[in-house]
Amino acid sequence: MRMRSLPDLMTFLTRRAALLLLTGLLAGACGGDGGSGGVGGTVVVGMRSDFGSFNPVTSSGQYDLELMNYALFTPIVQYDENLDVQPYLAESWDLHGDTGVTFHLRQDVRWHDGQPVTAHDVEFTFNLAKDEQTASLLGTAFLAEVAGAQVIDDYTITFRFARPHAQALEDFWWPPLPRHLLENVSPAELRNAPFNRQPVGSGPLRFGEWRANDRLVLLRNDDFPESLGGPADAERIVFRVIPEASTMLTELLTGSVHIDIPLMPDQIRQVRDNAETELHSYPGRTVYYLGWNNDRAPFNDANLRRALAHAINRGEIVDALLYGEGEIATSTIPPWHRLYPDLDPVQYDPAQAAQLLEQAGWVDRDGDGIRENAQGQPLAFEVLSSDDPLRRSVVEVLQNQLRQVGANAQIRVMEFQTMLQSHRERNFDAVFTNWVLDNFQIAAAPSALFHSREADIQLSANRSTVRIPALDAAIERGGRAPDEAEQRAAWEEMTRVLQREQPVTFMFWLNELAASRSDMNGVEMDPRGELRSIARWSTGR
Amino acid sequence: MGAFILKRLLSAIPLLIGIATIIFFVLNLAPGDPTTFYFNPNVPPEIIEQLRRNLGLDQPLHIQYFKWLTSFFQGDFGYSLAQSRPVADVVWEALPNTLILTGTALVLVFAFGMIIGVLQAVRQYSIFDSTSSVVSLFFYSMPSFWLALMLVLIFSLKAHTWGWPIALPATGITSVDYEFMSAGEKIRDRISHLILPVGTLTLALAAGVARYMRGQMLEVIRQDYIRTARAKGLSERKVIMKHALRNSMLPVITLLGLYLPFLFSGTIFIEVIFAWPGMGRIIYEAIFQRDYPLVMATSFIFAVIVVLGNLIADVLYAVADPRIRYD
């Protein structure tokens, strides 16, 4: 018989397989992540992408900046919940009118290697940021209006302003670097200094270990001064990188991860319905807008842009696509800021849109549902979007809404970098994109986006080629005015001009979403960021 | 054989230089540039220029190319732009993670695939043959990312909510308190993290191997020399394991040659879903961030492994089938 000895083979093979399976199952039984509680107050945070680097001068990632300002380092000043500036590393200051400021630093803050944090470190960091070789975001964007620094004594330093400007103290929301560890690094090499991936900071948490795309471990700094809130409550905070939203939520629901940043809008219900998890939704710093190419027909006509703005039902988009987690935008000033001008947004009004279009000479002359101008050219254009699912669904709704008033918008979806390049080179008709505020200085965004001095600079941020003198005047007034009443008036004026001229059409502010285990302590998130209360996070209520 | 291997290795050199060149130029022709990674609207264009100078991106393309090629052959892969550290460090950190995952998976894929294929062929049309065919085709035709998510749903999320004694970790390579564990716990922890990703890969790939193995085996056991082997009184086990199996190995060796590169590259979807910090994610993220030095180094290493995989397969052909000679 042919098959006689097969059972042999079968038993041999199945015994092997069974053994393998058994080992696997046994291991599984004893596996499972630490669960809530962990070892000695370990807080586990799931993030969708990894951090970049930790150097206040060269880092530019949103989460990098947050972690430096709230956990690893000690910024000179800090924001409170009203976004007012409070003393932090500097325990007090003397403003010299609008020409400069002197900071008196605390004497009890130490680097994590034990050295004191002094005015020399602050001066060193300032000079590095200002050094062109470092190509620093801090030096060029945040410190644009600060001309020089001078150390008075070990704990006193004076900064000189380049010119009078609004929100001047907010220029100093950045932490110093330790001079004794970095003075031998050449400025051009600073971006690649090993320090940036194993920083020695001065904040309530100190650096522990970092494995790229896997985990970043922070440890409690027991020396952090009580008057600044004291050492972190958690003994250890572990950031884990989990790129897939659904497995990340699984980890939160099983308790392996305590905080989940960010959450996807379609996961809200699952988190809200579960007694063990808590939803955090708060106004964010990202504004979405539809950028028109003001240099290109037909968008060189303000009437047309205004008409299209009336044709867009932004309320519907916020409710249907954002699950209500957003707010209609009127400018780059966020609704939660004290300088926000509370003006009504442009109303959704298709009848008025049609009327404006007719006034501008756009009439459906051949009955195909698309309007044409006097020369017979149809009102057709391309809208660029990246391949992000939210953006894609928004432009699809937009296309439909514009079609209702006789405008033919063709969607062109591109990979993000490719879209960005077309946008920067101003090779587009219209683009749906967003803007993220790095800080809370109101003048920064509009002067980059809309000021006409940027209009002719290649690759500048004024990619819609906006040249509106009234807008320039309002932006300059808002950026220079010393007192808040005048600033507020200027920003209100700016918003009115933006509404009237529609150089870009603002769509909505997107809420930030996160989730945490219900038994976590101290998780509070607001526009200052997800990580802003990190020093108070702990497990086990 | 030695001369053959040497010849193949030498002929691979111009091939690899060609690949490196193509990678370099294709990448530089793609829209976007790495400075947009640090892109911030408030940064004036002259600072972006300075950054480009620091990164050497202001030089003409052919100069960049020769600079890159020279340092490349000196073993200097440059700095990762996104991670601000040497490319070699990035690769060395991720490579062992990928090798653990894909190495384990490959062994299991070929072990299970071959065993199932042989058993199916030997017991053609039996209940075992038909049920295992249906099951393996089921997993073979299922999209792997979906299979992965289902496994997470059942063995991690539902196992936890239903209070099963076994709930597997859904993501990561070790637990967060790994460093506080004893040696035995560490091993168990690592294995428990391996089960779901390795399981997904094995279920998805072993089915393919089994189909090839079954087909070839069926052909071989009908050959005259198998009948001869039986006729001279060899045990069935010896007939199958020695004479038939060896002669049915050729298509499986081809598959092995094709799967070897994936030992290095990992599989992006598995690494993304299970948050496995390996090479697949490094390559994927480097491309989206336009991290040129990292993309070039990893694609080049990948090309080397593809060439090596083919060479190994060719050598194994000769080992499995004495009729194949490379002279």
Side-chain angles (χ1 to χ4, degrees):
Chain A
M1 289 294 291
R2 277 173 55 178
M3 295 295 166
R4 195 176 44 203
S5 60
L6 251 180
D8 262 22
L9 183 65
M10 281 283 268
T11 23
F12 169 72
L13 294 175
T14 40
R15 208 185 302 132
R16 278 280 172 90
L19 200 70
L20 267 171
L21 260 173
L22 197 68
T23 351
L25 291 178
L26 273 178
C30 317
D33 265 46
S36 45
V39 176
T42 297
V43 174
V44 185
V45 190
M47 305 275 282
R48 295 286 296 286
S49 58
D50 204 356
F51 293 93
S53 62
F54 301 111
N55 183 320
V57 173
T58 57
S59 302
S60 55
Q62 183 71 43
Y63 292 127
D64 300 350
L65 296 177
E66 278 189 33
L67 202 70
M68 287 188 287
N69 278 334
Y70 299 124
L72 284 173
F73 291 89
T74 323
I76 301 170
V77 299
Q78 189 63 282
Y79 284 105
D80 68 9
E81 64 275 17
N82 302 317
L83 294 175
D84 286 325
V85 172
Q86 297 297 333
Y88 205 61
L89 177 62
E91 57 188 347
S92 64
W93 53 74
D94 314 312
L95 269 169
H96 312 304
D98 46 21
T99 62
V101 61
T102 297
F103 288 107
H104 304 282
L105 306 184
R106 305 179 62 92
Q107 307 194 4
D108 54 358
V109 180
R110 291 179 174 274
W111 295 110
H112 295 155
D113 64 3
Q115 301 281 322
V117 178
T118 68
H120 301 286
D121 294 315
V122 177
E123 183 199 33
F124 170 75
T125 310
F126 175 82
N127 289 339
L128 268 183
K130 279 295 191 181
D131 190 326
E132 262 184 22
Q133 297 258 305
T134 58
S136 166
L137 172 70
L138 173 66
T140 54
F142 298 0
L143 289 170
E145 308 283 7
V146 184
Q150 198 191 349
V151 172
I152 308 295
D153 62 46
D154 279 358
Y155 295 98
T156 314
I157 185 166
T158 296
F159 288 97
R160 195 160 34 80
F161 298 151
R163 55 200 149 253
H165 61 287
Q167 297 176 276
L169 277 173
E170 296 180 40
D171 295 347
F172 300 96
W173 187 46
W174 49 270
L177 283 164
R179 184 178 71 164
H180 63 285
L181 295 176
L182 283 165
E183 58 193 341
N184 295 324
V185 176
S186 87
E189 293 295 316
L190 188 66
R191 192 170 293 274
N192 288 334
F195 175 91
N196 306 349
R197 292 187 70 87
Q198 43 196 16
V200 176
S202 55
L205 286 150
R206 64 191 165 85
F207 177 83
E209 182 199 13
W210 190 2
R211 275 180 272 150
N213 283 329
D214 186 14
R215 71 189 53 179
L216 169 71
V217 181
L218 304 184
L219 305 168
R220 176 162 67 203
N221 170 22
D222 290 317
D223 289 337
F224 197 65
E226 285 300 332
S227 43
L228 291 180
D233 288 350
E235 202 165 292
R236 237 171 33 125
I237 293 187
V238 180
F239 287 92
R240 292 195 46 209
V241 186
I242 305 174
E244 226 293 312
S246 52
T247 40
M248 177 128 108
L249 186 59
T250 297
E251 293 287 49
L252 180 80
L253 295 175
T254 58
S256 306
V257 160
H258 303 121
I259 301 178
D260 185 341
I261 303 171
L263 199 70
M264 297 285 105
D266 56 358
Q267 296 176 323
I268 292 175
R269 206 174 47 84
Q270 243 179 312
V271 170
R272 206 181 262 151
D273 289 354
N274 193 322
E276 291 180 4
T277 53
E278 201 172 300
L279 180 72
H280 300 268
S281 159
Y282 59 94
R285 301 194 226 165
T286 307
V287 63
Y288 283 81
Y289 67 96
L290 195 54
W292 312 108
N293 192 336
N294 287 223
D295 238 8
R296 211 181 252 195
F299 303 111
N300 48 9
D301 176 8
N303 280 323
L304 175 96
R305 299 192 301 256
R306 196 154 48 236
L308 296 182
H310 279 298
I312 298 169
N313 188 346
R314 294 175 287 177
E316 183 185 76
I317 291 176
V318 169
D319 288 342
L321 299 178
L322 310 185
Y323 299 80
E325 296 292 339
E327 191 163 340
I328 293 176
T330 53
S331 72
T332 54
I333 307 173
W336 37 260
H337 198 276
R338 62 180 185 278
L339 293 175
Y340 175 67
D342 198 3
L343 300 173
D344 283 337
V346 175
Q347 290 305 305
Y348 169 59
D349 188 347
Q352 190 170 1
Q355 199 189 339
L356 280 167
L357 283 169
E358 258 143 57
Q359 278 170 16
W362 295 96
V363 180
D364 184 8
R365 289 162 215 269
D366 54 11
D368 64 350
I370 303 296
R371 292 169 188 270
E372 289 87 22
N373 64 6
Q375 290 79 42
Q377 289 161 324
L379 181 49
F381 51 88
E382 266 186 357
V383 181
L384 302 190
S385 163
S386 79
D387 47 9
D388 169 68
L390 174 68
R391 295 191 194 198
R392 287 178 67 156
S393 50
V394 170
V395 285
E396 277 161 24
V397 172
L398 268 177
Q399 180 182 42
N400 194 23
Q401 293 177 349
L402 291 172
R403 177 83 202 201
Q404 305 292 318
V405 298
N408 180 10
Q410 290 300 317
I411 299 172
R412 192 140 167 244
V413 174
M414 299 165 128
E415 182 261 340
F416 179 75
Q417 293 265 358
T418 316
M419 182 208 78
L420 189 61
Q421 178 146 342
S422 294
H423 193 194
R424 291 176 89 190
E425 290 171 352
R426 304 186 199 177
N427 180 21
F428 69 100
D429 298 332
V431 60
F432 179 64
T433 187
N434 69 16
W435 192 267
V436 186
L437 305 178
D438 297 300
N439 59 14
F440 307 106
Q441 283 171 314
I442 296 302
S447 53
L449 274 167
F450 303 129
H451 200 289
S452 62
R453 76 172 110 76
E454 303 282 326
D456 294 315
I457 298 175
Q458 245 193 342
L459 303 180
S460 80
N462 187 346
R463 299 176 197 136
S464 285
T465 322
V466 182
R467 288 192 196 86
I468 301 171
L471 205 49
D472 291 354
I475 294 168
E476 277 167 30
R477 195 153 65 96
R480 296 274 166 262
D483 73 294
E484 288 211 346
E486 202 182 332
Q487 289 167 24
R488 193 171 285 113
W491 297 131
E492 190 170 320
E493 170 64 11
M494 177 191 79
T495 309
R496 279 186 209 287
V497 180
L498 285 173
Q499 303 265 46
R500 192 173 67 232
E501 299 284 333
Q502 294 289 328
V504 310
T505 293
F506 282 96
M507 299 287 291
F508 50 81
W509 292 91
L510 188 61
N511 282 359
E512 302 289 338
L513 295 169
S516 68
R517 300 285 301 172
S518 309
D519 56 3
M520 287 287 301
N521 301 308
V523 183
E524 279 167 26
M525 301 181 180
D526 60 31
R528 288 173 289 169
E530 285 89 342
L531 307 181
R532 74 123 188 120
S533 72
I534 185 170
R536 300 284 73 86
W537 291 353
S538 67
T539 56
R541 188 172 282 172
Chain B
M1 183 61 93
F4 165 74
I5 294 176
L6 190 67
K7 210 170 88 189
R8 282 285 298 266
L9 284 177
L10 285 178
S11 71
I13 293 175
L15 178 69
L16 288 174
I17 296 179
I19 292 172
T21 308
I22 292 171
I23 294 169
F24 181 89
F25 285 102
V26 166
L27 199 62
N28 278 282
L29 286 175
D33 99 40
T35 55
T36 52
F37 181 70
Y38 311 107
F39 145 87
N40 182 291
N42 298 317
V43 173
E46 60 268 23
I47 291 299
I48 294 185
E49 266 319 299
Q50 174 67 45
L51 190 56
R52 294 175 63 84
R53 271 199 297 281
N54 289 359
L55 300 173
L57 295 167
D58 58 327
Q59 313 250 341
L61 203 53
H62 62 277
I63 306 271
Q64 285 187 48
Y65 170 68
F66 283 114
K67 271 192 167 170
W68 174 73
L69 206 62
T70 331
S71 49
F72 201 86
F73 282 105
Q74 291 163 356
D76 174 12
F77 296 110
Y79 274 83
S80 158
L81 306 178
Q83 296 199 18
S84 307
R85 59 178 178 152
V87 166
D89 290 3
V90 177
V91 172
W92 280 124
E93 193 177 48
L95 193 56
N97 297 340
T98 289
L99 288 180
I100 290 173
L101 174 66
T102 53
T104 319
L106 266 196
V107 169
L108 291 181
V109 162
F110 280 91
F112 280 117
M114 286 167 62
I115 291 167
I116 293 169
V118 169
L119 288 179
Q120 284 177 332
V122 177
R123 320 181 102 194
Q124 199 187 2
Y125 306 134
S126 67
I127 294 175
F128 173 78
D129 183 23
S130 28
T131 43
S132 61
S133 286
V134 169
V135 171
S136 61
L137 273 175
F138 176 73
F139 287 119
Y140 188 58
S141 35
M142 188 184 289
S144 310
F145 69 91
W146 192 78
L147 176 62
L149 287 176
M150 285 307 110
L151 290 181
V152 168
L153 182 74
I154 297 168
F155 292 103
S156 190
L157 185 56
K158 291 301 174 190
H160 176 81
T161 41
W162 293 334
W164 288 7
I166 306 158
L168 294 171
T171 63
I173 188 161
T174 52
S175 299
V176 289
D177 38 14
Y178 182 72
E179 60 233 58
F180 305 110
M181 292 177 176
S182 70
E185 284 172 334
K186 278 185 178 176
I187 292 171
R188 272 201 297 273
D189 186 58
R190 287 214 164 236
I191 292 177
S192 71
H193 280 84
L194 267 170
I195 292 176
L196 286 183
V198 167
T200 309
L201 282 172
T202 308
L203 284 176
L205 295 175
V209 174
R211 297 312 288 169
Y212 278 102
M213 195 71 223
R214 177 181 184 272
Q216 189 69 17
M217 194 76 182
L218 279 176
E219 210 166 280
V220 168
I221 51 178
R222 283 180 180 72
Q223 298 289 323
D224 289 344
Y225 59 83
I226 298 294
R227 188 179 311 153
T228 313
R230 290 212 178 92
K232 66 181 182 181
L234 289 183
S235 74
E236 185 64 22
R237 181 166 175 174
K238 212 163 186 180
V239 172
I240 298 291
M241 297 297 276
K242 188 155 180 244
H243 294 262
L245 187 61
R246 184 163 171 183
N247 282 296
S248 331
M249 288 292 286
L250 288 188
V252 176
I253 290 173
T254 311
L255 275 187
L256 183 71
L258 289 175
Y259 284 172
L260 268 185
F262 127 115
L263 256 184
F264 167 78
S265 71
T267 46
I268 290 165
F269 76 90
I270 288 285
E271 294 191 351
V272 167
I273 290 178
F274 294 106
W276 197 269
M279 292 302 300
R281 267 165 73 198
I282 299 269
I283 297 172
Y284 176 79
E285 270 161 34
I287 290 172
F288 281 99
Q289 295 171 335
R290 298 292 189 273
D291 190 345
Y292 290 169
L294 190 51
V295 177
M296 287 187 286
T298 48
S299 334
F300 184 78
I301 300 172
F302 187 60
V304 171
I305 310 263
V306 171
V307 170
L308 275 182
N310 279 313
L311 179 61
I312 291 172
D314 282 348
V315 171
L316 284 179
Y317 286 149
V319 173
D321 188 344
R323 285 169 303 181
I324 297 175
R325 282 281 171 269
Y326 302 110
D327 297 319

